[in-house]
Amino acid sequence: MAKTKKNHDTEGQILAAAENVFQKKGMDGARMQEIADAAGINKAMLHYYYRSKQLLFEAVFTNAFSLLAPQLNKILNDDSAIEDKVKNFTNNYISFIIKHPYLPNFIIQELNRNPKFFEKIQQNAAFPTLEKFKNQVAEEVEKEILKPINGEQLFINIISLNIFPFVATPLIKGFLKIDDKGFKQMMEQRKTAVSEFIINSIKK
Amino acid sequence: MAKTKKNHDTEGQILAAAENVFQKKGMDGARMQEIADAAGINKAMLHYYYRSKQLLFEAVFTNAFSLLAPQLNKILNDDSAIEDKVKNFTNNYISFIIKHPYLPNFIIQELNRNPKFFEKIQQNAAFPTLEKFKNQVAEEVEKEILKPINGEQLFINIISLNIFPFVATPLIKGFLKIDDKGFKQMMEQRKTAVSEFIINSIKK
DNA sequence: TTATGGTTTAACCATTTGGTTAACAAAGAT
DNA sequence: ATCTTTGTTAACCAAATGGTTAAACCATAA
């Protein structure tokens, strides 16, 4: 807040509006005019503050990923046992995504459109790595806490189970013949159902 | 083949080119000119055969879904036991998607863009329903073949584990630091790893 | 008060894009 | 052979879109 002169945090308003529009419509579907309208300002301001659609988009994209990264670190770089991490992560992540429903699909979609964006998010300070998690799985398998399983496959399984329903929401709603309310209930159930499902499978 | 007059299956060439472009770039990112170029014909032909971008897109979309639907029916409407179906489906589905890598993301993305498209695919003759699967799960739980689990949640889990990696390929490649070849290997592993993971979790 | 410099706007511009048209080509039908 | 229908093309068009500009605005320092 409290920028110089008469600037009523226009830059922030633009970013907020751009987040909304880009996350719902993607880079290709978004229109600069629509973002300006959503922010309640003149279209020229978008260029004044962010130069181009591309740069505005990148601001939104890196911002979005920096919200997601700490969530992933909860499963990858926390010190507790795998079982506890799975329980915590699943519960937390689903709560988190219910508040930011467009986030995962946005990131995945734009990464598909331009895989080079991955480099951009890798520069993020909190960028998560798999090393620790892989070692920990191997260790707990060794100690016979877990059944034999490949750490990478387990990681894929965990994020698949947690993220996919939020990426494929319309598909799930369609097959299950449920509305928004039913979907939310189903996702609430998953906060425990998913971790149970995983633990059941891997715990010795 | 063998259409009337000098038509060298132009309509088919257009559809094939449109599939390529739409599936990679989506409705918003695709350009009619690019489709025409990919088909090696004049842009006006696209309109001659399909009237508009929207209609061409819908032809591609329903076509894509009609490829996917039979796959889903293997898990939903086959007569074998859940365990066998999970094994079969996982193996088959992953093989299938390796051949059509853009398919799941395309369908999910466009369904997110316009959830009303779900109605379009519901008209498909082979449109899969959950009823049988749900009953079967309840039955096998009753008979104590399976641990207690909600059929809908199990369905979500199965498709999440199978589909997600192909939707989030760049993300997976990035985190696991693998290239195309490594990714394919990982997916080959999953043909058995995923079904084992599921069976481990649900079998009593 | 006035000069200064960041902020904001309406109007404008060049390009892209989906779509149309009119002329032409090729193959039956007569 | 010529007429008619279908297929194909180059040129064109209007609307949309990202981006620019020149002028106006306005808070503040001198």
Side-chain angles (χ1 to χ4, degrees):
Chain A
M1 303 292 134
K3 282 262 183 154
T4 48
K5 302 218 168 168
K6 74 169 165 177
N7 179 340
H8 295 276
D9 192 28
T10 309
E11 192 171 344
Q13 282 174 258
I14 292 174
L15 195 66
E19 260 160 27
N20 255 303
V21 176
F22 274 131
Q23 290 187 18
K24 279 181 200 151
K25 310 215 168 170
M27 171 69 168
D28 291 332
R31 295 289 162 252
M32 293 298 266
Q33 188 60 58
E34 189 180 357
I35 295 172
D37 292 346
I41 47 112
N42 188 286
K43 181 165 68 89
M45 297 303 281
L46 304 185
H47 294 96
Y48 181 76
Y49 283 102
Y50 291 91
R51 292 260 313 264
S52 68
K53 186 185 185 186
Q54 179 66 21
L55 288 175
L56 176 55
F57 172 79
E58 285 176 19
V60 170
F61 186 78
T62 54
N63 209 31
F65 187 76
S66 70
L67 281 176
L68 206 57
Q71 298 293 325
L72 289 177
N73 274 314
K74 279 185 188 149
I75 189 88
L76 293 175
N77 289 316
D78 191 276
D79 281 321
S80 45
I82 295 282
E83 177 172 354
D84 293 329
K85 291 210 288 195
V86 167
K87 284 180 184 162
N88 273 323
F89 171 72
T90 299
N91 197 319
N92 282 333
Y93 182 83
I94 294 179
S95 300
F96 168 76
I97 287 302
I98 287 174
K99 286 188 220 126
H100 305 269
Y102 292 104
L103 214 64
N105 195 50
F106 172 65
I107 289 173
I108 286 170
Q109 186 50 30
E110 297 304 325
L111 231 37
N112 269 310
R113 204 175 55 84
N114 184 2
K116 284 183 185 164
F117 273 161
F118 200 86
E119 294 154 28
K120 216 140 238 149
I121 62 182
Q122 262 182 327
Q123 292 158 12
N124 189 300
F127 184 81
T129 339
L130 263 188
E131 298 314 316
K132 180 167 180 174
F133 181 81
K134 264 159 59 179
N135 291 336
Q136 200 184 354
V137 169
E139 217 172 87
E140 293 196 15
V141 168
E142 181 79 14
K143 287 185 188 163
E144 304 203 340
I145 300 169
L146 301 181
K147 290 182 199 162
I149 187 166
N150 175 313
E152 287 167 334
Q153 295 286 3
L154 178 57
F155 172 70
I156 298 180
N157 292 349
I158 294 172
I159 66 170
S160 296
L161 289 166
N162 278 290
I163 302 181
F164 184 76
F166 296 99
V167 171
T169 308
L171 207 64
I172 306 258
K173 277 184 182 171
F175 281 131
L176 266 56
K177 292 175 187 156
I178 52 178
D179 59 7
D180 231 64
K181 196 180 141 216
F183 182 78
K184 267 198 175 170
Q185 283 174 3
M186 196 65 51
M187 293 307 113
E188 285 295 331
Q189 271 184 36
R190 284 182 79 74
K191 286 186 186 175
T192 53
V194 166
S195 51
E196 274 171 31
F197 185 83
I198 298 170
I199 303 296
N200 264 348
S201 181
I202 62 175
K203 205 179 176 188
K204 204 148 193 178
Chain B
M1 303 298 132
K3 282 261 183 157
T4 48
K5 303 218 170 168
K6 73 169 165 178
N7 180 342
H8 296 275
D9 192 28
T10 308
E11 193 170 344
Q13 283 174 258
I14 292 175
L15 194 67
E19 260 160 26
N20 255 302
V21 176
F22 275 130
Q23 292 186 17
K24 279 180 200 154
K25 309 218 169 167
M27 171 69 167
D28 291 332
R31 297 288 161 254
M32 294 298 266
Q33 187 59 60
E34 189 181 357
I35 296 172
D37 291 347
I41 48 112
N42 190 288
K43 182 165 67 87
M45 296 306 281
L46 303 185
H47 294 95
Y48 181 76
Y49 283 102
Y50 292 91
R51 290 265 310 266
S52 68
K53 186 184 186 185
Q54 179 66 22
L55 288 175
L56 177 54
F57 172 79
E58 285 175 22
V60 170
F61 186 79
T62 53
N63 208 32
F65 187 77
S66 72
L67 280 176
L68 207 56
Q71 298 293 325
L72 290 176
N73 274 314
K74 280 186 187 147
I75 190 89
L76 293 175
N77 289 316
D78 190 276
D79 282 320
S80 44
I82 295 282
E83 178 172 353
D84 293 329
K85 291 210 287 196
V86 167
K87 284 180 185 163
N88 272 323
F89 172 71
T90 298
N91 198 320
N92 282 333
Y93 182 82
I94 295 181
S95 300
F96 169 75
I97 287 302
I98 287 175
K99 285 188 222 126
H100 305 269
Y102 292 104
L103 214 65
N105 195 50
F106 172 66
I107 290 173
I108 286 171
Q109 187 49 30
E110 298 304 325
L111 231 38
N112 270 310
R113 205 175 54 85
N114 184 2
K116 283 182 186 164
F117 273 161
F118 200 86
E119 293 154 29
K120 216 139 242 155
I121 63 182
Q122 263 181 324
Q123 292 158 12
N124 188 301
F127 184 80
T129 339
L130 265 188
E131 298 315 314
K132 180 167 178 174
F133 181 81
K134 264 159 58 179
N135 292 335
Q136 199 184 353
V137 169
E139 217 171 88
E140 294 196 14
V141 168
E142 180 79 14
K143 287 185 190 163
E144 304 203 338
I145 300 169
L146 301 181
K147 292 180 198 163
I149 187 165
N150 175 313
E152 286 167 335
Q153 295 286 4
L154 178 57
F155 172 70
I156 297 179
N157 293 348
I158 293 172
I159 65 169
S160 296
L161 289 165
N162 278 291
I163 302 180
F164 184 76
F166 296 99
V167 171
T169 308
L171 208 64
I172 306 258
K173 278 183 181 172
F175 281 132
L176 267 56
K177 293 175 187 156
I178 51 178
D179 59 6
D180 232 63
K181 196 182 141 216
F183 182 77
K184 266 198 176 168
Q185 282 174 3
M186 196 67 49
M187 294 307 113
E188 284 295 330
Q189 270 186 38
R190 284 183 79 75
K191 286 185 185 175
T192 53
V194 166
S195 51
E196 275 171 31
F197 185 83
I198 298 169
I199 302 296
N200 265 348
S201 181
I202 62 175
K203 204 178 177 187
K204 204 153 192 173

